[in-house]
Amino acid sequence: MTGESKNEQRRLSGDFMRVKRTPAAKYPDNMHPGLVPGIAIEENRYRFGIDKVVFGVTAVAILAFVAWGVTNPQQVAAVSGDMLTWGLRHFGWLFNVLLIVCVVLMVVLAFSRFGDIKLGKDDEKPEFSFFSWVSMMFAAGIGVGIFFFGPSEPLHMYLNPPPLTVEPGTEEALHQAMAQAGFHWGVNPWAMYTLVGGAMAYSCYRRGRPTLMSSLFTPITKRSGTTGTIIDILAIVATLFGTAASLGISTLQIGQGIAIIRGGDETSMGILLTVMGVLTIGFVISAVSGVGKGIRILSNINISFTFLAILFVFVAGPTLLLVNLLPSGALSYIDGFFDMASRSPSWGEETLEFQTDWTAFYWAWWIAWAPFVGMFIAKISRGRTLRQFVTVSILVPTFVLILAFTVFGGTAITFSRDGVDGFDGTATPEQVLFNMFGELPLASITPFILMGILSVFFITSADSASVVMGSMSSKGDPEPNKLVVVFWGLCMMGIAVVMLLTGGEDALSGLQSLTILSAMPFSIVILVLMYSFVRDLSTDPIAIRNSYARNAVKSAVIRGLEEYGDDFELAVEPAEDGMGAGATFDSTADDLTEWYRRTDEEGKPVGYDYETGEWSDGYSADQDNDADPKAEGGSTSITEMYQDTAVDNQEEK
């Protein structure tokens, strides 16, 4: 039987499914979807401006909440407490499922056929050297949480292990404490950030969409519709509450430092509100004065001092124990990962209480921070492959945080085992930090250094998060109006104040409950994002080319063996109808072609030549280039804050 007869037989038997299309199939701008090199956001023509619905609805809701919280914090505390208990009982499982599925998904995507897809155009090179990129990953992984929870959480877990695990104060409790801290701060949150960051980088720098959360759902819904508006509102609300929690924690920590300097241990609400007010003034000055370079310098100094603090405790503390604890604690975390992930209210009331105080709070915090941190790591990762992005974005910050928690936590636990005052479990989390540094050399100056670090973290986090929210409420404008930026910053401060007031004497409880509640609806958005991101990747030009390659090689090899045995080679030539590499693939489908169809500012189709980069209506991107906003005192983004680090290390490339 001839090769042609065999092919005809396979067609008749149904081995080849054929998609009928006209011989002269048309593609946008005569570009096959498998050949599109990608579209950067700068190459599309968008008209930015305040989204009146997103901004208006969110602003009214937040202002109403702040007014309610300031005038009647007890009522807010009571209502939020009841809602929190009900929510965790009925939907606490959702947080666990979400975080675990996120970890699995990102690992699978990284090492699947999608791993080679660029977070940028096909020929785009990474903006930063690998060293600079990793340095900024370190910067993103450093925050106030290291100082607030770094010493206190492992100490608490050592003295009060999670229910149904180990006996307190034992060697097993030491390693359980390290494992539990790693579980809360390691792979899980960074898989969440990587999901949002990867989807954002892909959407903006390869699909050319605006920097909005709603843009990430384009494969399944219209960004401009009601669903897109709701998604953007929920993203802003989550970012507001997540960042406000960080600001509240910074305030608690700084207030404790002031109390220690004044010779006391108690921090009054008046001191906390005063600290919040002073730092708010610092944020406003930063946001409106255009001192971006100064803030970047302070941020770089801040990061350096943070690493020096970790090194100082490592050297001045129980060094030998810490050296041994680093690998054993990390391996305990890996070994107990799925056991810790399985904990839910089904384990009893004690586990429910533990989840409320710790795990659920962290999961909610990470979900709330996802739009903010995701946008940051998206900007610095442009031009990387998805595989490289996922691997580095998860592993590098996880390593840093495990290192910090082992050093700080191991030192605090050592002091507890030695019977040092202040480490018996009665001190507040903010007190444990200063107690630890008080037992080390240079105790007279370390409180001032710590408060300086925390203050800069406060201002830069507020500034950067406000820019992100300003962008999300301005149709993705990368340089939103400064008044809008300041407004969202003040809203954050207001929420942080409400969190402190609702917690009363236990201010941390207010931070926890309101953060968890704000993240519950946004967790649904994250779940849907997983599906949307996978669907987006499945229609990527590289994915299309890989699919064609597999089909073509498979068919060619079979035909070569049938007709020529061992002696054949592959060649590209026209195939019979229904026998080509794309025979089962409709390359003219709207979900494959609509995304690269160029439009003008009004959304009307405009011709575009991909070879020359020319628009049919004569448009040029140069004519829309404005003056450098930073030179005019524009807002400073989180990427810009760490830009000096990248520049300083560019020679490492």
Side-chain angles (χ1 to χ4, degrees), residues 453-512:
I453 293 174
L454 294 167
S455 297
V456 176
F457 272 134
F458 183 107
I459 294 173
T460 56
S461 295
D463 198 342
S464 303
S466 298
V467 172
V468 169
M469 290 183 289
S471 179
M472 288 193 289
S473 59
S474 303
K475 303 179 181 179
D477 189 351
E479 297 290 341
N481 185 284
K482 287 186 287 186
L483 293 179
V484 175
V485 173
V486 171
F487 173 79
W488 289 126
L490 295 177
C491 286
M492 271 191 301
M493 311 304 171
I495 294 173
V497 169
V498 173
M499 288 177 168
L500 295 174
L501 293 175
T502 56
E505 294 183 359
D506 184 15
L508 184 60
S509 66
L511 300 175
Q512 292 173 320

Side-chain angles (χ1 to χ4, degrees), residues 538-554:
S538 65
T539 59
D540 184 85
I542 290 179
I544 294 174
R545 294 201 295 269
N546 288 340
S547 177
Y548 273 58
R550 288 193 303 271
N551 292 339
V553 172
K554 180 180 178 181

Side-chain angles (χ1 to χ4, degrees), residues 422-435:
F423 297 90
D424 58 356
T426 59
T428 63
E430 55 268 28
Q431 290 173 340
V432 173
L433 173 70
F434 290 101
N435 291 345

Side-chain angles (χ1 to χ4, degrees), residues 118-348:
K118 275 283 189 72
L119 302 180
K121 300 176 68 173
D122 284 347
D123 60 351
E124 191 163 359
K125 303 298 182 182
E127 182 178 1
F128 305 108
S129 70
F130 185 82
F131 184 86
S132 299
W133 182 44
V134 171
S135 297
M136 288 187 283
M137 285 292 177
F138 276 107
I142 297 294
V144 66
I146 282 182
F147 293 97
F148 191 87
F149 292 104
S152 62
E153 181 177 347
L155 176 62
H156 178 88
M157 298 297 173
Y158 173 73
L159 298 174
N160 304 277
L164 306 176
T165 54
V166 297
E167 292 295 321
T170 61
E171 300 298 334
E172 291 81 5
L174 169 64
H175 292 85
Q176 177 67 42
M178 293 297 106
Q180 195 70 48
F183 181 67
H184 288 157
W185 290 82
V187 169
N188 287 349
W190 285 98
M192 176 68 61
Y193 300 155
T194 301
L195 167 66
V196 177
M200 183 69 72
Y202 178 82
S203 176
C204 297
Y205 308 130
R206 188 159 178 83
R207 297 276 186 166
R209 303 173 188 144
T211 52
L212 296 168
M213 281 297 300
S214 57
S215 297
L216 312 186
F217 297 85
T218 301
I220 57 177
T221 184
K222 292 183 178 180
R223 185 190 62 79
S224 59
T226 303
T227 303
T229 299
I230 294 173
I231 291 171
D232 288 331
I233 290 174
L234 290 176
I236 294 175
V237 171
T239 303
L240 277 169
F241 278 85
T243 311
S246 295
L247 302 184
I249 287 173
S250 296
T251 302
L252 290 174
Q253 198 77 79
I254 295 170
Q256 182 61 45
I258 294 174
I260 290 175
I261 293 171
R262 296 175 61 191
D265 293 326
E266 299 295 327
T267 307
S268 67
M269 185 60 65
I271 292 178
L272 295 179
L273 295 179
T274 301
V275 171
M276 180 72 72
V278 172
L279 294 176
T280 299
I281 294 173
F283 154 72
V284 172
I285 294 173
S286 168
V288 304
S289 64
V291 293
K293 186 173 180 63
I295 294 295
R296 292 196 297 271
I297 293 173
L298 286 176
S299 299
N300 292 331
I301 295 173
N302 220 34
I303 295 166
S304 300
F305 269 98
T306 300
F307 278 104
L308 286 174
I310 297 172
L311 180 61
F312 172 74
V313 175
F314 179 80
V315 174
T319 306
L320 183 59
L321 171 69
L322 299 178
V323 170
N324 288 283
L325 191 57
L326 274 170
S328 60
L331 291 173
S332 296
Y333 161 47
I334 297 172
D335 181 62
F337 180 88
F338 288 103
D339 178 65
M340 291 182 287
S342 70
R343 304 284 167 164
S344 71
S346 64
W347 289 73

